[in-house]
Amino acid sequence: MACARVPLDEQQVTEPGPLGKDHTLPALHPDRKEDRCFVPYKPPPEDGSPAEVEEFLEYARFIIEDLEWLLALPHDKFWCQVVFDESLQRCLDSYLCHAPRSLDLTALPSSPTMAEMQRSVHRSVFLTFLRMATHKESKDNFLTPAVFGEIIYDNFLFDIPKILDLCVLFGKGNSQLLHKMIENIFTQQPSYYSDLDETVPTVLQVFDSVLDKCGLQCEGATAMEPMKLNAHKQPTAMTMSQQELADIILYLCDSTTTIHAFLDIFPAACSTFHSHGFLSRLTSFYETTVPDLEKALRKRNFDDKGLQDDLWKRLSHSCRKMVETAHLLLHHTCLQPILEGRENMQTFAEELLQHFTSFLPEKRFLSDYDEQFPLSDDISLLQQALPVIDETRTSYLLQGVESAWDSVGRRRTQSQIQPKAPSLLSANQGAVGWAGERLKGAEAMLDVPGKGNNGVVCPLSAAELESLLSCIRDLLPDLGEGFLLACLEEYNYNSELVINNILEDRLAPSLDKLDRSMPRPVKEELPSVLSNRSGVFDDDEFDIFRRDQVDMSRIWKGRRKGENIREMLNDKQHIAEQRARYQAYETVVDEVVIEPGESAATYGLDDYDDEYDDTYDMNQVGANDLDGDSLLNRRPFTVPQVLRKGNKPEDEEEGEDDEEEETLQNNVNRDQFVQDPALLRERAEARRAAMQQRKGFRPERSSNVVGRAKGQGQTLETFLDRRKKEANKSRVSNHNRRTMADRKRNKGMIPS
């Protein structure tokens, strides 16, 4: 194996060749790769047949076994397999391409077995990429950083599309690990920054492609271009087929989710996106495309209402991600340097205000952005950090926000109109504008929670909620309270907006499919804790939870009053109760002599028991023969002393003492199971005394090699003990390897 503390790229290993002769190879060499074929990943089938399910489970099982084998390899073998095994890279690439995303609810496994197998594959793939992005595993197993960067870049182990897929697949729950992983990749190989710079124009082509498919390219183009002759033939969101519209929305949802996940996990890339004018292109695209797609989803007649609801949720999710992406770019490129107190703070503040000013023409985008991240909060932070900010300019921006809300026909809630002024210190600690409110009403159905959103909570008290319900029911008495509660929750408990949308029939698709006479859901009462409890005292005489009457005379605290402890101790009633049980064993006979004229039936000896068990019978054949056998020399039955009668005559007690002495004398030579401990101690003491009387005996004393503290000097005994330990330490702890080796060789255990 390779030497320690030497990077893997500089190590040399010696391995046997094909002809049996050893030859030296670099540690990273194609000949050291194991022959193993990694199968590509196949996504779980959507309501597939049993054969398709079995095929998915078999492929997933192969992938899990292969990746676990790969992760268990040592450092050098792992990198040989990663660099030179093309089937491994095809397997990992297939998972990044075909693995279901968090929004693909239809592609998620339906059965628990498939779901568990999918989670295992997901975990194994992530651990494999995590190890591939680590150049130093320990002090002995590492790669030179520069060589590591060349290996992952030249062999395409990582590229920008792969990193984007890693963020969107594994970002939920693993953001910190992914951040360290991607940061290490970009740090060790700066060429990825140039690749990212070349990738941003390709990302911008996503917006141009969607605009072109929707027939909005002329409106969304940044440059004044002449209209093409066939522009009137271009289909729009209202005229294209439902499948094309669904593909566009799915494409937009996947693209915006991926970009946001990458910028959220790796904020250092925000500067690259910002340098290409990504923010201005994003806002203009949002303002042009989102209203057109929403209009198409609202006005078109869909054959499948489930498809319409799914597309509406995906479009709402795309809007949220685009707004959050814009906030990420502003926060990390303009606002964060101001909060950290960097140089040229005035320049960053001016750039931030210019971006806010550019948002003013984009009414729809500005209102949606202000709903999630109020501009008044950011302006308040700017005024705290830089008091020289022109108040006229900030007032103009706030008035523009009010105008944007009015132009889109929406009203802000009271909490949005009067937000709490954020503190500069709290913002500097990372509490800047992560609002968890919903962007659109239909997005509440989407199981993708925003940051800081732990669930929808009613901001009103029970009395206020009842007041809103009664106000609406006075105007619309035919509507059920359950339907009205859903509408209030959808429109942030704004009763005027609910009434207006109901009268104009402009409710969201999620509310149109509800029954308008739906009653208020009944709250299920939770079962009592006492009815489900279990304990060792259940159903006893003191169980007050199951008994209505308890004998309180048997319950007291502390010492019972009026009770004499001496009388309680002298009460031997329990002994008298046990005496009758032991008296049945007083008469034990081995033989019964039958007198002439008596029969065996008198003593019950001729009763035959078919189920009699003689395993432990004490009757020994030939035991009465006087041949020296001691089978009958057993101890006679003795009534326990505590159960004996206390008023026996003295002569009877003397007779019993004589019998006990004879019994002890007869049992002297018995092989006792447990000997007397006192006798054993006497014998051991006698042996020690005899040993000490020998000539030249010298008792050993305990050695003291620790001695006193440093600087206080050591006694002669400590010095002698240390010298003795130094001289004799080779007797143990395998210090005499040479001697033992010679001993084995002399015995023929080692071939010469």
Side-chain angles (χ1 to χ4, degrees), residues 569-641:
L569 294 177
N570 292 335
D571 185 10
K572 306 300 181 182
Q573 182 181 359
H574 61 284
I575 298 178
E577 294 174 355
Q578 298 294 329
R579 181 175 285 112
R581 177 181 299 179
Y582 283 95
Q583 284 177 354
Y585 298 98
E586 284 185 351
T587 305
V588 180
V589 295
D590 296 329
E591 295 179 355
V592 178
V593 180
I594 302 175
E595 299 294 337
E598 296 180 354
S599 63
T602 305
Y603 300 93
L605 299 178
D606 59 348
D607 295 338
Y608 175 74
D609 187 4
D610 185 52
E611 297 182 357
Y612 177 72
D613 186 11
D614 59 352
T615 304
Y616 302 100
D617 238 351
M618 299 302 297
N619 297 328
Q620 304 292 338
V621 178
N624 294 332
D625 298 340
L626 300 177
D627 55 356
D629 195 355
S630 60
L631 290 175
L632 296 178
N633 294 334
R634 61 179 180 269
R635 181 179 180 182
F637 179 79
T638 305
V639 179
Q641 186 176 2

Side-chain angles (χ1 to χ4, degrees), residues 540-544 547-555:
D540 63 1
E541 58 178 326
F542 301 112
D543 190 358
I544 62 175
R547 291 178 179 270
D548 297 333
Q549 297 180 356
V550 179
D551 187 5
M552 301 301 296
S553 63
R554 301 195 55 188
I555 302 174

Side-chain angles (χ1 to χ4, degrees), residues 305-511:
K305 292 297 182 181
L307 175 62
Q308 184 181 12
D309 294 340
D310 181 67
L311 294 179
W312 182 268
K313 290 186 292 185
R314 290 180 181 274
L315 181 58
S316 301
H317 180 72
S318 303
C319 295
R320 172 185 284 275
K321 293 306 174 183
M322 283 190 283
V323 170
E324 291 181 353
T325 301
H327 178 74
L328 279 174
L329 293 173
L330 289 176
H331 177 75
H332 290 290
T333 58
C334 301
L335 192 57
Q336 189 66 28
I338 298 174
L339 300 176
E340 293 177 355
R342 300 181 189 175
E343 298 181 358
N344 301 325
M345 293 175 55
Q346 188 68 34
T347 304
F348 290 113
E350 181 65 26
E351 185 178 2
L352 181 62
L353 292 176
Q354 287 181 0
H355 283 298
F356 287 160
T357 305
S358 65
F359 292 169
L360 295 180
E362 320 293 348
K363 303 293 185 181
R364 174 61 189 275
F365 174 81
L366 182 58
S367 60
D368 290 345
Y369 183 91
D370 186 70
E371 184 178 2
Q372 289 196 73
F373 311 103
L375 262 69
S376 58
D377 292 351
D378 294 339
I379 292 175
S380 177
L381 290 174
L382 282 179
Q383 292 175 345
Q384 294 181 48
L386 296 172
V388 297
I389 295 295
D390 188 6
E391 294 185 2
T392 305
R393 191 173 183 182
T394 56
S395 301
Y396 172 73
L397 290 175
L398 295 177
Q399 292 176 3
V401 173
E402 296 288 344
S403 175
W405 278 90
D406 294 338
S407 63
V408 297
R410 298 164 60 187
R411 294 184 180 182
R412 290 191 293 178
T413 60
Q414 193 67 21
S415 60
Q416 292 172 341
I417 296 175
Q418 296 178 354
K420 295 182 180 179
S423 170
L424 182 62
L425 179 60
S426 62
N428 198 16
Q429 292 174 350
V432 180
W434 286 114
E437 300 178 357
R438 296 170 296 172
L439 178 62
K440 296 293 292 180
E443 192 170 354
M445 302 170 57
L446 189 60
D447 189 16
V448 183
K451 297 192 174 184
N453 184 14
N454 296 325
V456 179
V457 180
C458 179
L460 305 179
S461 62
E464 293 174 340
L465 186 60
E466 292 295 335
S467 176
L468 289 178
L469 286 175
S470 63
C471 177
I472 300 176
R473 285 181 62 84
D474 290 342
L475 297 176
L476 306 169
D478 57 327
L479 300 180
E481 291 187 357
F483 177 74
L484 294 179
L485 282 175
C487 294
L488 287 173
E489 182 180 342
E490 189 74 21
Y491 295 106
N492 295 326
Y493 299 92
N494 189 341
S495 59
E496 297 178 0
L497 188 59
V498 170
I499 295 172
N500 183 59
N501 288 337
I502 291 175
L503 294 177
E504 295 183 1
D505 197 14
R506 292 173 50 190
L507 291 175
S510 59
L511 298 176

Side-chain angles (χ1 to χ4, degrees), residues 207-219 231 234-240 244-245 248-249 252 285 288-290 292-293 296:
F207 300 151
D208 296 338
S209 176
V210 174
L211 290 171
D212 183 62
K213 291 292 183 181
C214 295
L216 304 172
Q217 185 66 41
C218 297
E219 300 178 17
Q234 187 71 24
T236 62
M238 290 294 297
T239 59
M240 67 175 60
E244 291 180 352
L245 179 61
I248 290 175
I249 294 178
L252 177 63
F285 170 80
T288 304
T289 309
V290 170
D292 190 70
L293 293 177

Side-chain angles (χ1 to χ4, degrees), residues 30-135:
D31 293 344
R32 303 193 67 210
K33 176 181 70 70
E34 300 289 340
D35 292 334
R36 197 177 186 97
C37 181
F38 292 82
V39 297
Y41 171 80
K42 287 190 175 183
E46 301 178 9
D47 300 331
S49 62
E52 294 177 344
V53 173
E54 185 64 27
E55 181 184 14
F56 166 76
L57 294 177
E58 185 177 7
Y59 269 77
R61 196 176 299 111
F62 287 153
I63 293 175
I64 293 172
E65 293 176 357
D66 291 341
L67 293 183
E68 288 180 352
W69 169 84
L70 177 68
L71 293 171
L73 290 177
H75 187 249
D76 54 342
K77 289 286 188 178
F78 172 81
W79 278 103
C80 289
Q81 203 74 26
V82 167
V83 175
F84 303 112
D85 193 342
E86 296 181 358
S87 65
L88 171 61
Q89 298 304 320
R90 288 195 295 268
C91 173
L92 297 177
D93 292 348
S94 65
Y95 185 82
L96 295 181
C97 293
H98 303 295
R101 271 55 175 172
S102 59
L103 293 176
D104 298 334
L105 302 179
T106 57
L108 295 179
S110 56
S111 65
T113 305
M114 294 173 61
E116 182 64 27
M117 194 67 69
Q118 174 64 26
R119 283 192 293 267
S120 300
V121 175
H122 191 77
R123 179 179 180 275
S124 299
V125 172
F126 176 68
L127 292 178
T128 303
F129 276 110
L130 184 62
R131 191 175 182 185
M132 288 168 54
T134 306
H135 71 282

